[in-house]
Amino acid sequence: MNVDTISDFLAEQRDQAPEELQPLALEFETLWERKLWHQLTNLLLEFFNHPGSAPQRLQFYKVFILKFADKINRLKLVDLALKAATQCRDNQERLSFLEAVVKKVDHEDSQDAYVFATIAVARVKLDLSDLDGARKDLDTAERILDNFDSVESVVHAAFYDTNAKYFQAKSDWGSYYKNALLYLACIDVKSLSLEEQRQRAYNLAIAALVSSSIYNFGELLLHPILDALTIDDQHKWLHQLLFAFNRGDLAAYDLLASHISSDPLLAQHTRQLREKIYLAALTEAVFRRPPHDRAMSFSTIANETKVHPDEIEHLIMKALSLDLLRGTIDQVDEVAHINWVQPKVLDMQQIKNMRQRLQEWDSSVDKLGNWIEGVGQDVWA
Protein backbone atom coordinates (compact mmCIF):
# COMPACT_ATOMS: atom_id res chain seq x y z
CA MET A 1 0.00 0.00 0.00
CA ASN A 2 1.55 3.33 -1.05
CA VAL A 3 1.49 6.64 0.79
CA ASP A 4 -1.47 7.98 -1.14
CA THR A 5 -3.50 4.90 -0.31
CA ILE A 6 -2.56 5.21 3.38
CA SER A 7 -3.62 8.85 3.28
CA ASP A 8 -6.95 7.87 1.75
CA PHE A 9 -7.44 5.16 4.39
CA LEU A 10 -6.69 7.56 7.25
CA ALA A 11 -9.01 10.20 5.79
CA GLU A 12 -11.79 7.63 5.49
CA GLN A 13 -11.25 6.40 9.06
CA ARG A 14 -11.12 9.96 10.37
CA ASP A 15 -14.52 10.66 8.87
CA GLN A 16 -15.94 7.49 10.46
CA ALA A 17 -14.47 8.19 13.90
CA PRO A 18 -16.55 9.78 16.69
CA GLU A 19 -16.18 13.54 16.79
CA GLU A 20 -14.04 13.52 19.92
CA LEU A 21 -11.55 11.14 18.28
CA GLN A 22 -11.19 12.97 14.96
CA PRO A 23 -8.34 15.27 16.16
CA LEU A 24 -6.35 12.13 17.06
CA ALA A 25 -7.08 10.55 13.71
CA LEU A 26 -5.98 13.75 11.98
CA GLU A 27 -2.62 13.59 13.77
CA PHE A 28 -1.95 10.01 12.61
CA GLU A 29 -1.06 11.04 9.05
CA THR A 30 1.33 13.76 10.20
CA LEU A 31 3.22 11.40 12.47
CA TRP A 32 3.20 8.69 9.79
CA GLU A 33 4.69 11.01 7.18
CA ARG A 34 7.35 12.26 9.63
CA LYS A 35 8.11 8.68 10.71
CA LEU A 36 7.71 9.51 14.39
CA TRP A 37 6.94 5.92 15.31
CA HIS A 38 7.10 6.27 19.10
CA GLN A 39 4.69 9.20 19.17
CA LEU A 40 2.43 7.49 16.63
CA THR A 41 2.30 4.33 18.74
CA ASN A 42 1.33 6.24 21.87
CA LEU A 43 -1.34 8.17 19.98
CA LEU A 44 -2.75 4.93 18.57
CA LEU A 45 -2.91 3.45 22.07
CA GLU A 46 -4.81 6.51 23.21
CA PHE A 47 -7.18 6.09 20.26
CA PHE A 48 -7.64 2.34 20.86
CA ASN A 49 -8.27 2.86 24.57
CA HIS A 50 -11.31 5.00 23.79
CA PRO A 51 -14.50 2.87 23.64
CA GLY A 52 -15.66 4.81 20.58
CA SER A 53 -12.78 3.44 18.50
CA ALA A 54 -13.94 -0.18 18.82
CA PRO A 55 -15.49 -0.60 15.32
CA GLN A 56 -12.32 0.73 13.65
CA ARG A 57 -9.59 -1.07 15.59
CA LEU A 58 -9.34 -4.21 13.49
CA GLN A 59 -9.07 -2.29 10.22
CA PHE A 60 -6.56 0.14 11.70
CA TYR A 61 -4.40 -2.76 12.82
CA LYS A 62 -4.55 -4.73 9.54
CA VAL A 63 -4.27 -1.85 7.10
CA PHE A 64 -2.26 0.80 8.93
CA ILE A 65 -0.35 -0.53 11.95
CA LEU A 66 1.11 -3.57 10.20
CA LYS A 67 2.79 -1.20 7.72
CA PHE A 68 5.24 -0.05 10.42
CA ALA A 69 4.91 -2.87 12.97
CA ASP A 70 8.64 -3.70 12.78
CA LYS A 71 9.57 -0.15 13.73
CA ILE A 72 7.69 0.14 17.05
CA ASN A 73 7.91 -1.36 20.53
CA ARG A 74 6.67 -4.93 20.13
CA LEU A 75 5.01 -5.07 23.54
CA LYS A 76 2.93 -2.05 22.53
CA LEU A 77 2.26 -3.72 19.18
CA VAL A 78 0.78 -6.72 21.02
CA ASP A 79 -1.25 -4.38 23.22
CA LEU A 80 -2.73 -2.77 20.10
CA ALA A 81 -3.37 -6.20 18.58
CA LEU A 82 -5.20 -7.41 21.72
CA LYS A 83 -7.47 -4.39 21.60
CA ALA A 84 -8.11 -4.98 17.91
CA ALA A 85 -8.83 -8.66 18.56
CA THR A 86 -11.87 -7.73 20.65
CA GLN A 87 -13.59 -6.86 17.37
CA CYS A 88 -13.16 -10.29 15.76
CA ARG A 89 -16.45 -11.98 14.87
CA ASP A 90 -15.92 -15.02 17.11
CA ASN A 91 -13.30 -16.85 19.15
CA GLN A 92 -12.11 -18.92 16.20
CA GLU A 93 -11.33 -15.82 14.17
CA ARG A 94 -9.77 -14.24 17.25
CA LEU A 95 -7.55 -17.30 17.74
CA SER A 96 -6.25 -17.19 14.16
CA PHE A 97 -5.64 -13.44 14.45
CA LEU A 98 -3.67 -13.76 17.71
CA GLU A 99 -1.66 -16.76 16.53
CA ALA A 100 -0.45 -14.56 13.65
CA VAL A 101 0.53 -11.91 16.22
CA VAL A 102 2.52 -14.52 18.18
CA LYS A 103 4.52 -15.41 15.05
CA LYS A 104 5.16 -11.75 14.28
CA VAL A 105 6.75 -11.00 17.67
CA ASP A 106 8.63 -14.29 18.11
CA HIS A 107 12.12 -12.80 18.10
CA GLU A 108 15.06 -13.06 20.46
CA ASP A 109 14.82 -9.39 21.44
CA SER A 110 11.05 -9.34 22.03
CA GLN A 111 10.36 -12.35 24.23
CA ASP A 112 8.24 -10.25 26.59
CA ALA A 113 5.90 -9.42 23.69
CA TYR A 114 5.95 -13.07 22.60
CA VAL A 115 4.88 -14.16 26.11
CA PHE A 116 2.16 -11.48 26.22
CA ALA A 117 0.73 -12.66 22.90
CA THR A 118 1.05 -16.35 23.83
CA ILE A 119 -0.94 -15.75 27.01
CA ALA A 120 -3.66 -14.06 24.94
CA VAL A 121 -3.82 -17.14 22.71
CA ALA A 122 -4.13 -19.35 25.80
CA ARG A 123 -7.03 -17.24 27.02
CA VAL A 124 -8.92 -17.67 23.76
CA LYS A 125 -8.27 -21.41 23.89
CA LEU A 126 -9.85 -21.44 27.35
CA ASP A 127 -12.90 -19.71 25.89
CA LEU A 128 -12.97 -22.49 23.28
CA SER A 129 -12.70 -25.13 26.05
CA ASP A 130 -9.29 -26.28 24.76
CA LEU A 131 -7.81 -26.68 28.24
CA ASP A 132 -4.86 -28.82 27.12
CA GLY A 133 -3.87 -26.30 24.46
CA ALA A 134 -4.18 -23.44 26.92
CA ARG A 135 -2.03 -25.28 29.48
CA LYS A 136 0.67 -25.88 26.90
CA ASP A 137 0.79 -22.17 25.99
CA LEU A 138 0.78 -21.12 29.65
CA ASP A 139 3.64 -23.50 30.46
CA THR A 140 5.62 -22.04 27.55
CA ALA A 141 4.97 -18.53 28.83
CA GLU A 142 5.91 -19.48 32.38
CA ARG A 143 9.25 -20.99 31.35
CA ILE A 144 10.21 -17.78 29.59
CA LEU A 145 8.92 -15.55 32.41
CA ASP A 146 11.03 -17.46 34.93
CA ASN A 147 14.18 -16.47 33.01
CA PHE A 148 13.40 -12.75 32.97
CA ASP A 149 15.14 -10.47 35.46
CA SER A 150 12.25 -8.03 35.10
CA VAL A 151 9.20 -7.65 32.92
CA GLU A 152 6.30 -5.21 32.62
CA SER A 153 3.64 -5.81 35.26
CA VAL A 154 0.98 -6.02 32.53
CA VAL A 155 2.61 -9.26 31.30
CA HIS A 156 2.67 -10.83 34.75
CA ALA A 157 -0.90 -9.70 35.35
CA ALA A 158 -2.05 -11.32 32.10
CA PHE A 159 -0.26 -14.56 33.01
CA TYR A 160 -1.69 -14.83 36.52
CA ASP A 161 -5.19 -13.89 35.40
CA THR A 162 -5.22 -16.47 32.59
CA ASN A 163 -3.60 -19.10 34.82
CA ALA A 164 -6.31 -18.45 37.42
CA LYS A 165 -8.99 -18.85 34.76
CA TYR A 166 -7.45 -22.19 33.74
CA PHE A 167 -7.43 -23.52 37.30
CA GLN A 168 -10.98 -22.30 37.82
CA ALA A 169 -12.03 -24.32 34.76
CA LYS A 170 -10.23 -27.34 36.26
CA SER A 171 -11.87 -26.78 39.68
CA ASP A 172 -8.40 -26.59 41.25
CA TRP A 173 -9.46 -24.02 43.82
CA GLY A 174 -6.19 -23.78 45.74
CA SER A 175 -4.22 -22.93 42.58
CA TYR A 176 -6.98 -20.60 41.40
CA TYR A 177 -6.87 -18.74 44.74
CA LYS A 178 -3.09 -18.32 44.59
CA ASN A 179 -3.02 -17.06 40.99
CA ALA A 180 -6.05 -14.79 41.40
CA LEU A 181 -4.36 -13.06 44.35
CA LEU A 182 -1.10 -12.74 42.40
CA TYR A 183 -3.05 -11.10 39.57
CA LEU A 184 -4.52 -8.55 41.99
CA ALA A 185 -1.00 -7.84 43.28
CA CYS A 186 0.01 -6.78 39.74
CA ILE A 187 -2.77 -4.25 39.18
CA ASP A 188 -4.49 -1.31 40.82
CA VAL A 189 -7.74 -2.78 42.14
CA LYS A 190 -9.44 0.58 41.63
CA SER A 191 -8.93 0.18 37.88
CA LEU A 192 -11.53 -2.63 37.95
CA SER A 193 -15.22 -1.79 37.73
CA LEU A 194 -17.26 -2.33 40.90
CA GLU A 195 -19.00 -5.29 39.28
CA GLU A 196 -15.68 -6.93 38.37
CA GLN A 197 -14.33 -6.28 41.87
CA ARG A 198 -17.43 -7.92 43.32
CA GLN A 199 -17.17 -10.93 41.01
CA ARG A 200 -13.48 -11.46 41.74
CA ALA A 201 -14.04 -11.10 45.47
CA TYR A 202 -16.88 -13.63 45.27
CA ASN A 203 -14.78 -16.13 43.29
CA LEU A 204 -11.85 -15.76 45.67
CA ALA A 205 -14.03 -16.20 48.74
CA ILE A 206 -15.71 -19.32 47.36
CA ALA A 207 -12.33 -20.77 46.30
CA ALA A 208 -10.88 -20.16 49.77
CA LEU A 209 -13.82 -21.92 51.40
CA VAL A 210 -14.04 -24.99 49.16
CA SER A 211 -10.31 -25.55 48.63
CA SER A 212 -8.91 -28.61 50.37
CA SER A 213 -5.54 -26.87 50.84
CA ILE A 214 -6.50 -23.42 52.21
CA TYR A 215 -7.23 -23.11 55.93
CA ASN A 216 -5.88 -19.63 56.54
CA PHE A 217 -7.63 -16.77 54.72
CA GLY A 218 -5.39 -14.02 56.10
CA GLU A 219 -4.12 -12.68 52.77
CA LEU A 220 -7.67 -12.42 51.42
CA LEU A 221 -9.13 -10.92 54.60
CA LEU A 222 -6.57 -8.11 54.43
CA HIS A 223 -7.09 -7.43 50.72
CA PRO A 224 -9.20 -4.39 49.72
CA ILE A 225 -10.95 -6.48 47.03
CA LEU A 226 -12.99 -8.09 49.80
CA ASP A 227 -14.73 -4.77 50.52
CA ALA A 228 -16.63 -5.26 47.25
CA LEU A 229 -18.73 -7.93 48.98
CA THR A 230 -20.09 -5.38 51.44
CA ILE A 231 -21.40 -2.93 48.82
CA ASP A 232 -24.79 -4.62 48.60
CA ASP A 233 -26.80 -6.99 50.78
CA GLN A 234 -26.62 -9.82 48.24
CA HIS A 235 -23.05 -10.80 49.12
CA LYS A 236 -22.54 -9.49 52.65
CA TRP A 237 -23.19 -12.97 54.06
CA LEU A 238 -20.09 -14.28 52.24
CA HIS A 239 -17.94 -11.56 53.80
CA GLN A 240 -19.37 -12.48 57.22
CA LEU A 241 -18.80 -16.19 56.56
CA LEU A 242 -15.09 -15.70 55.84
CA PHE A 243 -14.60 -13.82 59.10
CA ALA A 244 -16.64 -16.45 60.96
CA PHE A 245 -14.20 -19.07 59.68
CA ASN A 246 -11.25 -16.91 60.64
CA ARG A 247 -12.36 -16.70 64.26
CA GLY A 248 -13.79 -20.25 64.42
CA ASP A 249 -17.26 -18.92 65.20
CA LEU A 250 -19.60 -21.93 65.08
CA ALA A 251 -22.66 -19.91 66.06
CA ALA A 252 -22.14 -17.46 63.18
CA TYR A 253 -21.56 -20.38 60.82
CA ASP A 254 -24.87 -21.97 61.78
CA LEU A 255 -26.67 -18.65 61.31
CA LEU A 256 -25.28 -18.41 57.77
CA ALA A 257 -26.05 -22.06 56.92
CA SER A 258 -29.07 -21.15 54.76
CA HIS A 259 -26.86 -19.02 52.50
CA ILE A 260 -24.36 -21.86 52.21
CA SER A 261 -27.04 -24.29 51.03
CA SER A 262 -28.29 -21.75 48.45
CA ASP A 263 -24.88 -21.49 46.76
CA PRO A 264 -24.38 -24.48 44.40
CA LEU A 265 -20.61 -24.84 44.89
CA LEU A 266 -20.70 -24.39 48.66
CA ALA A 267 -23.65 -26.80 48.88
CA GLN A 268 -21.49 -29.47 47.22
CA HIS A 269 -18.85 -29.04 49.92
CA THR A 270 -20.97 -28.81 53.08
CA ARG A 271 -19.19 -31.70 54.79
CA GLN A 272 -15.76 -30.21 54.04
CA LEU A 273 -16.92 -26.77 55.22
CA ARG A 274 -18.17 -28.26 58.49
CA GLU A 275 -14.78 -29.90 59.05
CA LYS A 276 -13.05 -26.60 58.27
CA ILE A 277 -15.11 -24.66 60.78
CA TYR A 278 -14.41 -27.33 63.42
CA LEU A 279 -10.68 -26.99 62.73
CA ALA A 280 -11.01 -23.20 62.91
CA ALA A 281 -12.84 -23.50 66.25
CA LEU A 282 -10.07 -25.79 67.55
CA THR A 283 -7.24 -23.45 66.54
CA GLU A 284 -9.15 -20.49 67.99
CA ALA A 285 -9.67 -22.36 71.29
CA VAL A 286 -5.92 -23.00 71.46
CA PHE A 287 -5.07 -19.44 70.42
CA ARG A 288 -7.18 -17.96 73.21
CA ARG A 289 -5.14 -19.80 75.84
CA PRO A 290 -1.78 -18.55 77.10
CA PRO A 291 1.21 -20.67 75.97
CA HIS A 292 1.61 -22.25 79.43
CA ASP A 293 -2.01 -23.45 79.45
CA ARG A 294 -2.34 -25.35 76.19
CA ALA A 295 -2.77 -28.86 77.50
CA MET A 296 -6.41 -29.45 76.56
CA SER A 297 -8.49 -32.48 77.42
CA PHE A 298 -10.60 -34.08 74.73
CA SER A 299 -13.73 -33.15 76.67
CA THR A 300 -12.70 -29.47 76.74
CA ILE A 301 -12.10 -29.52 73.00
CA ALA A 302 -15.47 -31.24 72.45
CA ASN A 303 -17.24 -28.50 74.43
CA GLU A 304 -15.54 -25.69 72.49
CA THR A 305 -15.77 -27.17 69.00
CA LYS A 306 -19.14 -29.00 69.33
CA VAL A 307 -17.49 -32.05 67.76
CA HIS A 308 -18.64 -35.48 68.89
CA PRO A 309 -16.21 -36.85 71.55
CA ASP A 310 -15.44 -39.88 69.39
CA GLU A 311 -14.14 -37.61 66.61
CA ILE A 312 -11.91 -35.34 68.71
CA GLU A 313 -8.73 -37.36 68.25
CA HIS A 314 -9.22 -37.41 64.47
CA LEU A 315 -9.82 -33.63 64.49
CA ILE A 316 -6.59 -32.97 66.41
CA MET A 317 -4.61 -35.29 64.15
CA LYS A 318 -6.03 -33.51 61.11
CA ALA A 319 -4.96 -30.13 62.54
CA LEU A 320 -1.48 -31.49 63.26
CA SER A 321 -1.14 -33.00 59.76
CA LEU A 322 -2.14 -29.67 58.16
CA ASP A 323 0.38 -27.82 60.36
CA LEU A 324 -2.39 -25.71 61.87
CA LEU A 325 -1.16 -26.87 65.27
CA ARG A 326 2.01 -28.51 66.61
CA GLY A 327 2.17 -30.70 69.63
CA THR A 328 1.48 -34.23 70.87
CA ILE A 329 -1.54 -36.33 71.82
CA ASP A 330 -1.75 -38.39 75.03
CA GLN A 331 -4.22 -41.05 73.91
CA VAL A 332 -4.35 -42.70 77.35
CA ASP A 333 -5.29 -39.56 79.30
CA GLU A 334 -7.06 -38.07 76.27
CA VAL A 335 -5.12 -34.82 76.44
CA ALA A 336 -3.63 -32.75 73.59
CA HIS A 337 -0.42 -30.89 74.46
CA ILE A 338 -0.18 -27.98 72.00
CA ASN A 339 2.97 -25.88 71.78
CA TRP A 340 2.29 -23.85 68.60
CA VAL A 341 -0.69 -22.55 66.65
CA GLN A 342 -0.52 -21.17 63.12
CA PRO A 343 -0.59 -17.33 63.07
CA LYS A 344 -3.61 -15.69 61.50
CA VAL A 345 -5.28 -12.34 60.91
CA LEU A 346 -7.12 -11.05 63.98
CA ASP A 347 -10.41 -9.18 64.11
CA MET A 348 -11.05 -6.51 66.76
CA GLN A 349 -12.44 -8.93 69.33
CA GLN A 350 -9.44 -11.23 68.94
CA ILE A 351 -7.11 -8.24 69.32
CA LYS A 352 -8.93 -7.28 72.56
CA ASN A 353 -8.49 -10.84 73.82
CA MET A 354 -4.79 -10.70 73.02
CA ARG A 355 -4.50 -7.34 74.79
CA GLN A 356 -6.11 -8.86 77.86
CA ARG A 357 -3.66 -11.77 77.80
CA LEU A 358 -0.74 -9.37 77.52
CA GLN A 359 -2.07 -7.43 80.50
CA GLU A 360 -2.38 -10.67 82.47
CA TRP A 361 1.16 -11.62 81.48
CA ASP A 362 2.44 -8.19 82.53
CA SER A 363 0.67 -8.55 85.87
CA SER A 364 2.13 -12.02 86.47
CA VAL A 365 5.64 -10.77 85.64
CA ASP A 366 5.08 -7.90 88.08
CA LYS A 367 4.00 -10.31 90.81
CA LEU A 368 6.98 -12.55 90.14
CA GLY A 369 9.31 -9.55 90.43
CA ASN A 370 7.75 -8.54 93.76
CA TRP A 371 8.00 -12.11 95.05
CA ILE A 372 11.69 -12.39 94.10
CA GLU A 373 12.34 -9.06 95.74
CA GLY A 374 10.52 -10.19 98.89
CA VAL A 375 12.20 -13.57 99.35
CA GLY A 376 15.63 -12.38 98.29
CA GLN A 377 16.01 -9.29 100.51
CA ASP A 378 18.98 -10.77 102.40
CA VAL A 379 20.72 -11.63 99.13
CA TRP A 380 20.18 -8.14 97.75
CA ALA A 381 21.50 -6.69 101.01
Side-chain angles (χ1 to χ4, degrees):
M1 185 176 282
N2 57 40
V3 174
D4 290 338
T5 310
I6 285 289
S7 298
D8 292 342
F9 170 79
L10 291 174
E12 180 185 332
Q13 294 299 314
R14 182 174 64 247
D15 292 340
Q16 294 176 10
E19 187 176 348
E20 64 271 24
L21 289 178
Q22 288 183 5
L24 290 179
L26 187 63
E27 188 71 15
F28 291 154
E29 187 172 358
T30 302
L31 296 174
W32 154 263
E33 290 173 347
R34 296 175 64 189
K35 299 182 180 180
L36 298 174
W37 309 124
H38 174 72
Q39 292 89 332
L40 179 55
T41 304
N42 289 337
L43 202 66
L44 280 163
L45 281 169
E46 185 180 346
F47 181 83
F48 273 42
N49 283 332
H50 192 288
S53 70
Q56 297 175 274
R57 291 173 194 164
L58 206 53
Q59 277 296 99
F60 254 107
Y61 181 84
K62 291 179 178 179
V63 177
F64 182 51
I65 294 172
L66 285 179
K67 293 294 292 181
F68 53 92
D70 294 335
K71 298 179 175 65
I72 65 175
N73 179 289
R74 288 196 175 99
L75 193 60
K76 291 183 178 180
L77 173 65
V78 174
D79 194 9
L80 288 166
L82 296 187
K83 290 176 170 64
T86 61
Q87 301 308 302
C88 292
R89 289 190 305 272
D90 53 37
N91 283 324
Q92 203 59 58
E93 182 186 338
R94 190 171 296 113
L95 180 62
S96 299
F97 176 80
L98 290 174
E99 285 176 337
V101 175
V102 169
K103 290 178 183 177
K104 187 153 192 69
V105 296
D106 186 9
H107 301 286
E108 190 69 30
D109 61 345
S110 60
Q111 287 296 284
D112 55 346
Y114 173 74
V115 167
F116 197 23
T118 300
I119 293 166
V121 168
R123 195 171 190 90
V124 177
K125 287 181 179 178
L126 286 175
D127 291 335
L128 291 168
S129 300
D130 180 9
L131 299 188
D132 292 339
R135 184 69 266 160
K136 184 179 177 181
D137 289 334
L138 287 168
D139 288 342
T140 298
E142 186 171 23
R143 283 194 298 272
I144 299 172
L145 279 173
D146 287 343
N147 291 323
F148 282 142
D149 291 328
S150 63
V151 69
E152 293 284 345
S153 60
V154 66
V155 180
H156 268 133
F159 173 75
Y160 291 129
D161 191 30
T162 308
N163 218 24
K165 188 176 180 182
Y166 169 82
F167 287 120
Q168 187 178 31
K170 297 285 286 185
S171 298
D172 183 344
W173 303 113
S175 297
Y176 166 79
Y177 179 84
K178 173 187 172 184
N179 281 275
L181 281 175
L182 285 169
Y183 164 72
L184 292 175
C186 295
I187 66 165
D188 179 2
V189 174
K190 294 178 182 176
S191 67
L192 304 175
S193 67
L194 285 177
E195 181 54 38
E196 189 173 357
Q197 288 182 44
R198 188 184 297 112
Q199 188 60 52
R200 289 184 179 276
Y202 173 83
N203 290 339
L204 273 165
I206 296 295
L209 291 167
V210 303
S211 169
S212 58
S213 60
I214 301 171
Y215 291 84
N216 189 329
F217 311 146
E219 194 172 357
L220 178 58
L221 296 179
L222 290 173
H223 203 288
I225 194 73
L226 207 59
D227 294 338
L229 294 177
T230 64
I231 294 173
D232 57 40
D233 294 335
Q234 185 181 356
H235 297 104
K236 277 184 180 177
W237 66 270
L238 190 53
H239 185 274
Q240 294 164 359
L241 184 62
L242 283 173
F243 279 90
F245 267 88
N246 187 61
R247 61 180 182 269
D249 191 336
L250 288 160
Y253 176 86
D254 290 334
L255 285 173
L256 294 165
S258 61
H259 290 289
I260 293 171
S261 60
S262 67
D263 185 281
L265 193 53
L266 291 182
Q268 292 174 24
H269 294 80
T270 49
R271 184 174 179 179
Q272 180 181 319
L273 290 172
R274 177 63 66 174
E275 183 181 71
K276 268 193 174 185
I277 194 67
Y278 286 154
L279 286 166
L282 172 60
T283 56
E284 180 63 18
V286 174
F287 182 79
R288 283 199 302 264
R289 286 169 166 72
H292 63 270
D293 185 27
R294 287 182 174 171
M296 301 173 66
S297 67
F298 284 14
S299 59
T300 299
I301 294 173
N303 288 334
E304 299 209 21
T305 62
K306 313 304 180 192
V307 174
H308 193 277
D310 293 342
E311 298 176 1
I312 293 299
E313 186 176 346
H314 172 75
L315 182 70
I316 300 169
M317 290 176 67
K318 179 81 172 178
L320 293 172
S321 69
L322 293 168
D323 206 29
L324 301 176
L325 302 174
R326 293 177 192 165
T328 57
I329 301 174
D330 186 335
Q331 293 173 311
V332 177
D333 293 334
E334 295 190 333
V335 174
H337 299 275
I338 308 300
N339 52 46
W340 180 87
V341 59
Q342 187 183 80
K344 60 181 178 180
V345 172
L346 305 180
D347 61 21
M348 289 307 297
Q349 186 56 50
Q350 290 169 311
I351 291 173
K352 288 177 184 176
N353 292 339
M354 178 174 278
R355 179 173 179 270
Q356 184 178 346
R357 290 211 306 276
L358 286 171
Q359 288 174 332
E360 290 171 357
W361 173 80
D362 183 57
S363 177
S364 65
V365 169
D366 220 22
K367 289 177 183 176
L368 179 61
N370 292 335
W371 176 81
I372 291 173
E373 185 178 355
V375 300
Q377 284 180 350
D378 293 340
V379 177
W380 310 136

